[in-house]
Structures are given as structure tokens and as C-alpha cells.
Amino acid sequence: MKKIIATVAMVVCVALLVVGCTKKEEVASSTDSEVTSISLWTYPIGGWGSQDKVDELLEGFHAANPNIKVTVDYLTYADGDDKVNTAIEGGAAPDLIMEGPERLVSNWGAKGKMVDISDLFDATDRAEINPAALAACFTASGAAYEYPLVMTAHCMGINKTVFEKTGAIKYIDTATRTWTTENFIKAVDTLYKAGYKNVGAIYCGGQGGDQGTRALVNNLYGGTFTNAAHTEYTWNDPNNVKALETLKNMPGINFDPGLAGADEIALFYNGTLQMSFCWNIAQQLNPNSANTGAGKTLNGDEIMFVSFPSPNGSDAKLQGGIWGFGIFDNGDAKKIEAAKTFIKYMADSAATADAVKISDFFAVRDTAEGADLSTIWADNSIMNDYTTLMPLLGDYYQVTAGWAEARTQWWNMLQQVGAGQPIATTVADYAAKANAAAK
């Protein structure tokens, strides 16, 4: 009887051990299969503003990372900043955001809202990424708040058909797509005398697309927007004052406080304006996002992208655009790690070529984990032609402290100049306000 009892007891113990082990294995299996959900908010950076195109990328990411689920919200430049700031204040910031260093690094990062992702940059990354793009993603202390994906040079667009019809095309070096300040003035005068009273608009109804007006004013006579150290705004540069005086006195160039960048593009596209100061490769590929033909206005006129005018033409310094990903610090380690996985997949893997191509911009690196990115636009003649402008990329000064406030002061200053206020004192006053915000 004792043997039977002992045997039964042993069987029960073994059974309990088996059940216990099974439960542990089931718990471990359940933990391993848990899905971490993260949110991405993206500004309309080319096709990154298109749900259909982003969904295609996410299919690949989810297949490679089944334990991570990404949901996406699409922002506009008209109200995107307000939505993000409201979410931050309400403790509901997204896990990931896609935009440029001026927001991720010098704004939200500088305010301590973002995760330092400097650990994502290994020695190979630092060697492969364009130096200007790399530098813009880091603070002076060495923290990184953005991992870059794409970049471009902002430029101007002109109605080439009208320029040719009026003879103004002779003022542009069509091979290099550059022109001098003197020839820019002559071209506008030619168009105006030919009956085009709205040649170009100095739009100043808000921040959208303000890189165009900044580049125009700075390049006309070699002015600067900040100092080289990015510690001071230098709008009171006499060359900028001279540029604004020139523009204000040019028939055919009108200051318009009712327009922001997108409005100016629409008027250029429909033929009201004959040049756009808010242009880039994405616009050239799909003007006004109308899907009616690359490099064409609404009525079929040919659009030509050109550099901003400068004293010698070849000395223009174009504003660059850099876009990539950052992570908001929402205090969840799992979400942060999942967000880092997403960033490396999109910006440093074999999938990076596809992530770049939907943006309609240029990769910030030639290779990513051995994948060649240097020839991804070999089949696109417009993209290849646009590389003519890339060597003209200037300083990425958008990382200067107080950037968001400085932009506001800039377009308010343009409104006052357009309203006829004394230019030199107006520029000095608003530059001082920008510098106050930078301290």
C-alpha cells in the first residue's frame, strides 16, 4: 500500500511539474508574440503624405516585424504644428514623427520632448550620411533628435513658355539653370512690359513655404539669415535691406499678405503668376499635386526649375530641405525600441530605397547597409537634371535657437515692408525680436 501511495504521489508530482512547465512555456510564448503598437505622424513630405504609398511601405515593415504595429496620421503644414504642440501639452504626442531638424532638433528636441537617438548612428552611418544632413540632426552637446532619410535643394520655378515667348529666357543660363541678380531684374521687367503685371508674389500670409522668400532676399545681394555659428539672426544685414528695397520697387513683384507658399504655387500653376519662389523637385514632378503632368502648368505651359538669382549666378546658396524621423519621449521603453526599429528599417536597410523614392527627394546617403542608393533615380530624367542644383546647397541654418518664433517674425516683417513701412528700421526691429526669442 505504501508503494502504491508513493507511486501515485510521484505521478502527481511529475504531472504538476509538466503542467507548470507548460504554463511557463505558454506565458513565454504569449509574451514573445505581444504586439507593440506605435504611432507615426508625418508631414506631407512627397509621397509620405499619401496613405496609399505609405501603406505599401508598412506592408513590408509589418512582414519583417510582426511584433510591431504602426498607425499613421497625416499632418498638413497649415495646422500640423498646432496639432503636435497640442498633443504634447496633453500628454498624447505620437511615438514617431517625420519632419525636418528645425522642428525635431531645434524646437521639440531643444525643449526636452524627444528621445536622444545618437545610439542609432554607428561609425558607418556617420561616414555614409551627407555631412550637412548629419550635422543638422545633432545638438552641440552631441544629442541626436532626428535620423535623416532624404534631402533636397529648394529653388524657383518659372513659366518657361512665357519666358520664351517674351524673350526673357535669354536672361537665364539654361545649362546651369542660374541667373544673376541683374538679369533677374531685367527678366521681370521684360515680362511686366509684355503685359504680365503679376510676375511674382512675395507671399507673407504665414510660415508655409517661407524658405522661398528667405532664399530670394538673402541671395539677391549676398545677405545672410543667421551667423555661421547659428547663434544670431542677421536680417539687419545691409544686403538684405537692399534686396527688400529692390523687390519692393520692382513692377511685377507684389507683396501679398493674403498668400502663403501653397497659395503662391497654386497661382503659378494656374497661370496667374509667371514664377514661383516656393519650388522644389516634388513640385516639378507633380505641380500643385494635381497629377496632370510633370513640369506643366494647368494650361500645358512648360515649367523650368532654376536657382535663385545671385550677384554672379553661380554663387547662389540654396536653402536645403532635410527630412527624417524622431521619437517623442512618452516614457514607454518598448515603444521607444519599436520606434527605433522602424527608423532603421526605413532609413538604413535594404528597404530604404523604397522609402526614399516615395518622397520624390534625394537620399542623404549613397548606401544603406550595403544597398546602393546612388542610382535609384537613374530612370527619371527630371530627377537627374535636378542634381544640377544640388551643389548649390547652402548652410542649414534652420537649427538656430528660437526658430519657430523667428519664422513668425520673418513673415510679419515682410507684411510690414509690403505695407510701406521704412525697410531698414522694420528689418532691424523684427530681427531683434527673433534674436530675443533665440536667447
Coordinates of all heavy atoms in Angstrom, one line a residue, residues 242-315:
K242 N 18.9 96.0 -48.8 CA 19.0 96.4 -50.2 C 18.1 95.5 -51.1 O 17.4 96.0 -52.0 CB 20.5 96.3 -50.7 CG 20.7 96.7 -52.1 CD 22.1 96.7 -52.5 CE 22.4 97.1 -54.0 NZ 23.8 97.0 -54.4
A243 N 18.1 94.2 -50.8 CA 17.3 93.2 -51.6 C 15.8 93.6 -51.4 O 15.1 93.6 -52.4 CB 17.6 91.8 -51.1
L244 N 15.4 93.8 -50.2 CA 14.0 94.1 -50.0 C 13.6 95.5 -50.6 O 12.5 95.6 -51.2 CB 13.7 94.2 -48.5 CG 13.7 92.8 -47.8 CD1 13.7 93.0 -46.3 CD2 12.4 92.1 -48.2
E245 N 14.5 96.4 -50.6 CA 14.2 97.7 -51.3 C 14.0 97.5 -52.8 O 13.2 98.0 -53.4 CB 15.3 98.7 -51.0 CG 15.3 99.2 -49.6 CD 16.5 100.0 -49.2 OE1 17.5 100.0 -50.0 OE2 16.5 100.8 -48.2
T246 N 14.9 96.6 -53.3 CA 14.8 96.3 -54.8 C 13.5 95.6 -55.1 O 12.8 96.0 -56.1 CB 16.0 95.4 -55.2 OG1 17.2 96.1 -55.0 CG2 15.9 95.0 -56.6
L247 N 13.1 94.6 -54.3 CA 11.9 93.9 -54.6 C 10.7 94.8 -54.5 O 9.7 94.7 -55.3 CB 11.8 92.7 -53.7 CG 12.8 91.6 -53.9 CD1 12.8 90.6 -52.7 CD2 12.5 90.8 -55.2
K248 N 10.7 95.6 -53.4 CA 9.5 96.5 -53.2 C 9.3 97.5 -54.3 O 8.2 97.9 -54.7 CB 9.7 97.3 -51.9 CG 8.5 98.1 -51.5 CD 7.4 97.2 -51.1 CE 6.2 98.0 -50.5 NZ 5.6 98.9 -51.5
N249 N 10.4 97.8 -55.0 CA 10.3 98.8 -56.1 C 10.2 98.2 -57.5 O 10.2 99.0 -58.5 CB 11.5 99.8 -56.0 CG 11.5 100.6 -54.8 OD1 10.5 101.1 -54.3 ND2 12.7 100.8 -54.2
M250 N 10.1 96.9 -57.6 CA 10.1 96.2 -58.9 C 8.7 96.1 -59.4 O 7.9 95.3 -58.8 CB 10.8 94.9 -58.8 CG 12.3 94.9 -58.7 SD 13.0 93.2 -58.6 CE 12.5 92.5 -60.2
P251 N 8.3 96.7 -60.5 CA 6.9 96.5 -61.0 C 6.8 95.0 -61.4 O 7.8 94.4 -62.0 CB 6.9 97.4 -62.3 CG 7.9 98.5 -62.0 CD 9.0 97.8 -61.2
G252 N 5.8 94.4 -61.1 CA 5.6 92.9 -61.4 C 5.8 92.0 -60.2 O 5.4 90.9 -60.2
I253 N 6.5 92.6 -59.2 CA 6.7 91.8 -57.9 C 5.9 92.4 -56.8 O 6.0 93.6 -56.5 CB 8.2 91.8 -57.5 CG1 9.1 91.2 -58.6 CG2 8.4 91.1 -56.2 CD1 8.8 89.7 -58.8
N254 N 4.9 91.7 -56.3 CA 3.9 92.2 -55.4 C 4.0 91.5 -54.0 O 4.0 90.3 -54.0 CB 2.5 92.1 -56.0 CG 2.4 92.8 -57.3 OD1 2.7 93.9 -57.5 ND2 2.0 92.0 -58.3
F255 N 4.1 92.3 -53.0 CA 4.0 91.7 -51.6 C 2.5 91.4 -51.3 O 1.6 92.3 -51.5 CB 4.5 92.7 -50.6 CG 6.0 92.8 -50.6 CD1 6.7 93.4 -51.7 CD2 6.8 92.3 -49.5 CE1 8.1 93.4 -51.7 CE2 8.1 92.4 -49.5 CZ 8.8 93.0 -50.6
D256 N 2.2 90.2 -50.9 CA 0.8 89.8 -50.7 C 0.6 89.1 -49.4 O 1.0 87.9 -49.2 CB 0.4 88.8 -51.9 CG -1.1 88.7 -51.9 OD1 -1.8 88.8 -50.9 OD2 -1.6 88.4 -53.0
P257 N 0.1 89.8 -48.4 CA -0.1 89.2 -47.1 C -1.3 88.1 -47.1 O -1.5 87.5 -46.0 CB -0.5 90.4 -46.2 CG -1.1 91.3 -47.1 CD -0.4 91.2 -48.4
G258 N -2.0 88.0 -48.2 CA -3.1 87.0 -48.3 C -2.6 85.7 -48.7 O -3.4 84.7 -48.8
L259 N -1.3 85.5 -49.1 CA -0.8 84.3 -49.6 C 0.2 83.6 -48.7 O 1.1 84.3 -48.1 CB -0.2 84.5 -51.0 CG -1.0 85.1 -52.1 CD1 -0.1 85.3 -53.3 CD2 -2.2 84.3 -52.4
A260 N 0.2 82.3 -48.6 CA 1.3 81.5 -48.1 C 1.9 80.7 -49.2 O 1.4 80.9 -50.4 CB 0.8 80.6 -47.0
G261 N 2.9 79.9 -49.0 CA 3.6 79.2 -50.0 C 2.7 78.4 -51.0 O 2.8 78.4 -52.2
A262 N 1.7 77.6 -50.4 CA 0.9 76.8 -51.2 C 0.0 77.6 -52.1 O -0.3 77.2 -53.2 CB 0.0 75.9 -50.3
D263 N -0.5 78.8 -51.6 CA -1.3 79.7 -52.4 C -0.5 80.2 -53.6 O -1.0 80.3 -54.7 CB -1.8 80.8 -51.6 CG -2.5 80.4 -50.3 OD1 -3.4 79.5 -50.4 OD2 -2.2 80.9 -49.2
E264 N 0.7 80.5 -53.3 CA 1.6 81.1 -54.4 C 1.8 80.0 -55.5 O 1.7 80.3 -56.7 CB 2.9 81.5 -53.8 CG 3.8 82.2 -54.9 CD 5.1 81.4 -55.1 OE1 5.1 80.2 -55.0 OE2 6.1 82.0 -55.5
I265 N 2.0 78.8 -55.1 CA 2.2 77.6 -56.0 C 1.0 77.5 -56.9 O 1.0 77.3 -58.1 CB 2.5 76.4 -55.3 CG1 3.9 76.4 -54.7 CG2 2.4 75.1 -56.2 CD1 4.2 75.3 -53.7
A266 N -0.2 77.6 -56.2 CA -1.5 77.4 -57.0 C -1.6 78.5 -58.0 O -2.1 78.2 -59.2 CB -2.6 77.4 -56.0
L267 N -1.3 79.7 -57.7 CA -1.4 80.8 -58.7 C -0.4 80.7 -59.8 O -0.7 81.1 -60.9 CB -1.2 82.2 -57.9 CG -2.3 82.6 -57.0 CD1 -2.0 83.9 -56.2 CD2 -3.7 82.7 -57.7
F268 N 0.8 80.2 -59.5 CA 1.8 79.9 -60.5 C 1.3 78.8 -61.5 O 1.3 78.9 -62.7 CB 3.1 79.5 -59.9 CG 4.2 79.1 -60.9 CD1 4.6 79.9 -61.9 CD2 4.7 77.8 -60.8 CE1 5.6 79.5 -62.8 CE2 5.7 77.4 -61.7 CZ 6.1 78.2 -62.7
Y269 N 0.7 77.8 -60.9 CA 0.2 76.6 -61.6 C -0.9 77.0 -62.5 O -1.0 76.5 -63.7 CB -0.3 75.5 -60.6 CG -0.8 74.3 -61.3 CD1 0.0 73.5 -62.1 CD2 -2.2 74.0 -61.2 CE1 -0.6 72.3 -62.7 CE2 -2.8 72.9 -61.8 CZ -1.9 72.1 -62.5 OH -2.5 71.0 -63.1
N270 N -1.8 77.9 -62.1 CA -3.0 78.3 -63.0 C -2.7 79.4 -63.9 O -3.5 79.9 -64.7 CB -4.2 78.6 -62.1 CG -4.1 79.9 -61.3 OD1 -3.4 80.8 -61.7 ND2 -4.9 80.0 -60.3
G271 N -1.4 79.9 -63.9 CA -1.0 80.9 -64.9 C -1.1 82.4 -64.4 O -0.7 83.3 -65.2
T272 N -1.6 82.6 -63.2 CA -1.7 84.0 -62.7 C -0.3 84.6 -62.5 O -0.1 85.7 -62.8 CB -2.5 84.0 -61.4 OG1 -3.8 83.5 -61.6 CG2 -2.6 85.4 -60.8
L273 N 0.6 83.8 -61.9 CA 2.0 84.2 -61.7 C 2.9 83.5 -62.7 O 2.6 82.4 -63.2 CB 2.4 83.8 -60.3 CG 1.7 84.5 -59.1 CD1 2.1 83.9 -57.8 CD2 1.9 86.0 -59.1
Q274 N 4.0 84.2 -63.0 CA 4.9 83.6 -64.0 C 6.1 83.0 -63.4 O 7.0 82.5 -64.1 CB 5.3 84.7 -65.1 CG 4.1 85.4 -65.7 CD 3.0 84.4 -66.2 OE1 3.3 83.4 -66.9 NE2 1.7 84.6 -65.9
M275 N 6.3 83.1 -62.1 CA 7.4 82.5 -61.4 C 6.9 82.1 -60.0 O 6.0 82.7 -59.5 CB 8.6 83.3 -61.4 CG 8.4 84.7 -60.7 SD 10.0 85.7 -60.6 CE 10.4 85.9 -62.4
S276 N 7.6 81.1 -59.5 CA 7.3 80.7 -58.1 C 8.6 80.7 -57.3 O 9.6 80.2 -57.8 CB 6.7 79.3 -58.1 OG 6.6 78.8 -56.7
F277 N 8.5 81.3 -56.1 CA 9.7 81.2 -55.2 C 9.6 80.1 -54.2 O 10.5 79.8 -53.5 CB 9.7 82.5 -54.4 CG 9.8 83.8 -55.3 CD1 8.8 84.8 -55.1 CD2 10.8 83.9 -56.2 CE1 8.9 85.9 -55.9 CE2 10.8 85.1 -57.0 CZ 9.9 86.1 -56.9
C278 N 8.5 79.3 -54.3 CA 8.3 78.2 -53.4 C 8.3 76.9 -54.2 O 7.3 76.2 -54.3 CB 7.0 78.4 -52.7 SG 6.7 77.2 -51.3
W279 N 9.4 76.5 -54.7 CA 9.5 75.4 -55.7 C 10.6 74.4 -55.2 O 11.5 74.7 -54.5 CB 9.9 75.9 -57.1 CG 9.3 75.0 -58.2 CD1 10.1 74.3 -59.0 CD2 8.0 74.8 -58.6 NE1 9.3 73.6 -59.9 CE2 8.0 73.9 -59.6 CE3 6.8 75.3 -58.0 CZ2 6.8 73.5 -60.3 CZ3 5.6 74.9 -58.6 CH2 5.6 74.0 -59.7
N280 N 10.4 73.1 -55.6 CA 11.4 72.1 -55.4 C 11.1 70.9 -56.3 O 10.2 71.0 -57.1 CB 11.4 71.7 -53.9 CG 10.0 71.2 -53.4 OD1 9.3 70.5 -54.2 ND2 9.6 71.5 -52.2
I281 N 11.8 69.9 -56.2 CA 11.7 68.7 -57.1 C 10.4 68.1 -57.0 O 9.8 67.6 -58.0 CB 12.9 67.7 -56.8 CG1 12.8 66.6 -57.9 CG2 12.8 67.1 -55.4 CD1 13.0 67.1 -59.3
A282 N 9.8 68.0 -55.8 CA 8.5 67.4 -55.7 C 7.4 68.2 -56.5 O 6.5 67.6 -57.1 CB 8.1 67.3 -54.2
Q283 N 7.5 69.5 -56.5 CA 6.6 70.3 -57.2 C 6.9 70.1 -58.7 O 5.9 70.1 -59.5 CB 6.8 71.8 -56.9 CG 6.2 72.1 -55.5 CD 4.7 72.0 -55.4 OE1 4.0 71.9 -56.4 NE2 4.2 71.9 -54.2
Q284 N 8.1 70.0 -59.1 CA 8.4 69.8 -60.5 C 7.9 68.5 -61.1 O 7.3 68.4 -62.2 CB 9.9 69.9 -60.7 CG 10.4 69.9 -62.2 CD 10.1 71.2 -62.9 OE1 9.9 72.2 -62.3 NE2 10.0 71.1 -64.2
L285 N 7.9 67.5 -60.2 CA 7.4 66.2 -60.6 C 5.9 66.1 -60.7 O 5.3 65.4 -61.5 CB 7.9 65.1 -59.7 CG 9.4 64.8 -59.7 CD1 9.8 63.9 -58.6 CD2 9.8 64.1 -61.1
N286 N 5.3 66.9 -59.8 CA 3.8 66.9 -59.8 C 3.3 68.3 -59.3 O 2.9 68.5 -58.2 CB 3.3 65.9 -58.8 CG 1.8 65.7 -58.8 OD1 1.1 66.2 -59.7 ND2 1.3 64.9 -57.9
P287 N 3.3 69.3 -60.3 CA 2.9 70.6 -59.9 C 1.6 70.7 -59.3 O 0.6 70.2 -59.8 CB 2.9 71.4 -61.3 CG 3.9 70.6 -62.1 CD 3.7 69.1 -61.7
N288 N 1.5 71.4 -58.2 CA 0.3 71.7 -57.4 C -0.4 70.4 -57.0 O -1.6 70.3 -56.6 CB -0.7 72.5 -58.3 CG -1.7 73.3 -57.4 OD1 -1.3 73.8 -56.4 ND2 -2.9 73.3 -57.8
S289 N 0.4 69.3 -57.0 CA -0.1 67.9 -56.6 C -1.4 67.6 -57.4 O -2.3 66.9 -56.9 CB -0.4 67.9 -55.1 OG 0.7 68.2 -54.4
A290 N -1.4 68.1 -58.6 CA -2.7 67.9 -59.5 C -2.7 66.7 -60.3 O -3.7 66.3 -60.9 CB -2.8 69.2 -60.4
N291 N -1.5 66.0 -60.4 CA -1.4 64.7 -61.2 C -1.8 64.9 -62.6 O -2.4 64.1 -63.3 CB -2.3 63.6 -60.6 CG -2.0 63.3 -59.2 OD1 -0.8 63.1 -58.9 ND2 -2.9 63.2 -58.3
T292 N -1.5 66.1 -63.2 CA -1.8 66.4 -64.6 C -0.6 66.5 -65.5 O -0.7 67.1 -66.6 CB -2.6 67.7 -64.6 OG1 -1.9 68.8 -64.0 CG2 -4.0 67.5 -64.0
G293 N 0.5 66.0 -65.0 CA 1.7 66.0 -65.8 C 2.9 66.7 -65.2 O 2.8 67.8 -64.7
A294 N 4.1 66.1 -65.2 CA 5.3 66.7 -64.6 C 5.7 67.9 -65.4 O 5.7 67.9 -66.7 CB 6.4 65.6 -64.6
G295 N 6.1 68.9 -64.7 CA 6.7 70.1 -65.3 C 5.7 70.9 -66.3 O 6.2 71.5 -67.2
K296 N 4.4 70.8 -66.0 CA 3.5 71.5 -66.8 C 2.5 72.3 -65.9 O 2.1 71.9 -64.8 CB 2.6 70.5 -67.6 CG 3.5 69.7 -68.6 CD 4.0 70.5 -69.7 CE 4.8 69.6 -70.7 NZ 5.4 70.4 -71.9
T297 N 2.1 73.5 -66.4 CA 1.1 74.3 -65.7 C -0.3 73.7 -66.1 O -0.4 72.8 -66.9 CB 1.2 75.8 -66.1 OG1 0.8 75.9 -67.5 CG2 2.5 76.4 -65.9
L298 N -1.3 74.3 -65.5 CA -2.7 73.8 -65.8 C -3.0 73.9 -67.3 O -3.7 73.0 -67.8 CB -3.7 74.7 -65.0 CG -5.1 74.3 -65.1 CD1 -5.4 72.9 -64.6 CD2 -6.0 75.3 -64.3
N299 N -2.5 74.9 -68.0 CA -2.8 75.1 -69.4 C -1.8 74.5 -70.3 O -1.8 74.7 -71.5 CB -3.1 76.5 -69.7 CG -1.9 77.4 -69.6 OD1 -0.8 76.9 -69.2 ND2 -2.0 78.7 -69.7
G300 N -0.8 73.7 -69.7 CA 0.1 73.0 -70.5 C 1.4 73.7 -70.8 O 2.3 73.2 -71.5
D301 N 1.6 74.9 -70.2 CA 2.9 75.6 -70.4 C 4.0 74.8 -69.7 O 3.8 74.2 -68.6 CB 2.8 77.0 -69.8 CG 2.0 78.0 -70.6 OD1 1.6 77.6 -71.7 OD2 1.8 79.1 -70.2
E302 N 5.2 75.0 -70.2 CA 6.3 74.2 -69.6 C 6.9 75.0 -68.4 O 7.1 76.2 -68.4 CB 7.4 74.0 -70.6 CG 8.6 73.2 -70.1 CD 9.7 72.9 -71.2 OE1 9.5 73.3 -72.4 OE2 10.7 72.4 -70.8
I303 N 7.1 74.2 -67.3 CA 7.8 74.8 -66.1 C 9.2 74.4 -66.1 O 9.6 73.2 -66.3 CB 7.1 74.2 -64.8 CG1 5.6 74.7 -64.8 CG2 7.8 74.8 -63.6 CD1 4.8 74.0 -63.7
M304 N 10.1 75.4 -65.8 CA 11.5 75.1 -65.7 C 12.0 75.5 -64.3 O 11.7 76.6 -63.8 CB 12.3 76.0 -66.7 CG 13.8 75.8 -66.7 SD 14.6 76.9 -67.9 CE 16.3 76.5 -67.6
F305 N 12.7 74.6 -63.6 CA 13.2 74.9 -62.3 C 14.6 75.6 -62.5 O 15.4 75.3 -63.4 CB 13.4 73.6 -61.4 CG 14.3 72.6 -62.0 CD1 15.6 72.6 -61.8 CD2 13.7 71.5 -62.7 CE1 16.5 71.6 -62.3 CE2 14.6 70.5 -63.2 CZ 15.9 70.6 -63.0
V306 N 14.8 76.6 -61.7 CA 16.0 77.4 -61.7 C 16.5 77.8 -60.3 O 15.7 77.7 -59.4 CB 15.8 78.7 -62.6 CG1 15.5 78.4 -64.0 CG2 14.7 79.6 -61.9
S307 N 17.7 78.2 -60.2 CA 18.2 78.7 -59.0 C 17.7 80.0 -58.6 O 17.1 80.7 -59.5 CB 19.8 78.7 -59.0 OG 20.3 79.4 -57.9
F308 N 17.8 80.5 -57.4 CA 17.5 81.9 -57.0 C 18.6 82.7 -57.6 O 19.8 82.3 -57.7 CB 17.5 82.0 -55.5 CG 16.2 81.5 -54.9 CD1 16.1 80.2 -54.5 CD2 15.1 82.3 -54.9 CE1 15.0 79.7 -53.9 CE2 13.9 81.8 -54.3 CZ 13.8 80.5 -53.9
P309 N 18.3 84.0 -58.1 CA 19.3 84.9 -58.6 C 20.3 85.3 -57.5 O 19.9 85.5 -56.4 CB 18.5 86.0 -59.2 CG 17.2 86.0 -58.3 CD 16.9 84.6 -58.0
S310 N 21.5 85.5 -58.0 CA 22.6 86.0 -57.1 C 23.5 86.9 -57.8 O 23.5 86.9 -59.1 CB 23.3 84.8 -56.5 OG 24.0 84.1 -57.5
P311 N 24.4 87.6 -57.2 CA 25.3 88.6 -57.9 C 26.0 88.0 -59.1 O 26.0 88.6 -60.1 CB 26.2 89.0 -56.8 CG 25.4 89.0 -55.6 CD 24.6 87.8 -55.7
N312 N 26.5 86.8 -58.9 CA 27.3 86.2 -60.0 C 26.5 85.0 -60.6 O 27.0 84.3 -61.6 CB 28.6 85.7 -59.6 CG 29.5 86.8 -59.1 OD1 29.5 87.9 -59.8 ND2 30.3 86.7 -58.1
G313 N 25.4 84.6 -60.1 CA 24.6 83.5 -60.6 C 25.1 82.2 -60.0 O 24.4 81.5 -59.4
S314 N 26.4 81.9 -60.2 CA 27.0 80.6 -59.7 C 27.2 80.7 -58.2 O 27.5 79.6 -57.6 CB 28.3 80.3 -60.5 OG 29.2 81.4 -60.2
D315 N 27.1 81.8 -57.6 CA 27.4 81.9 -56.2 C 26.1 81.8 -55.3 O 26.1 82.2 -54.1 CB 28.1 83.2 -55.8 CG 27.4 84.5 -56.3 OD1 26.4 84.3 -57.0 OD2 27.8 85.6 -55.9

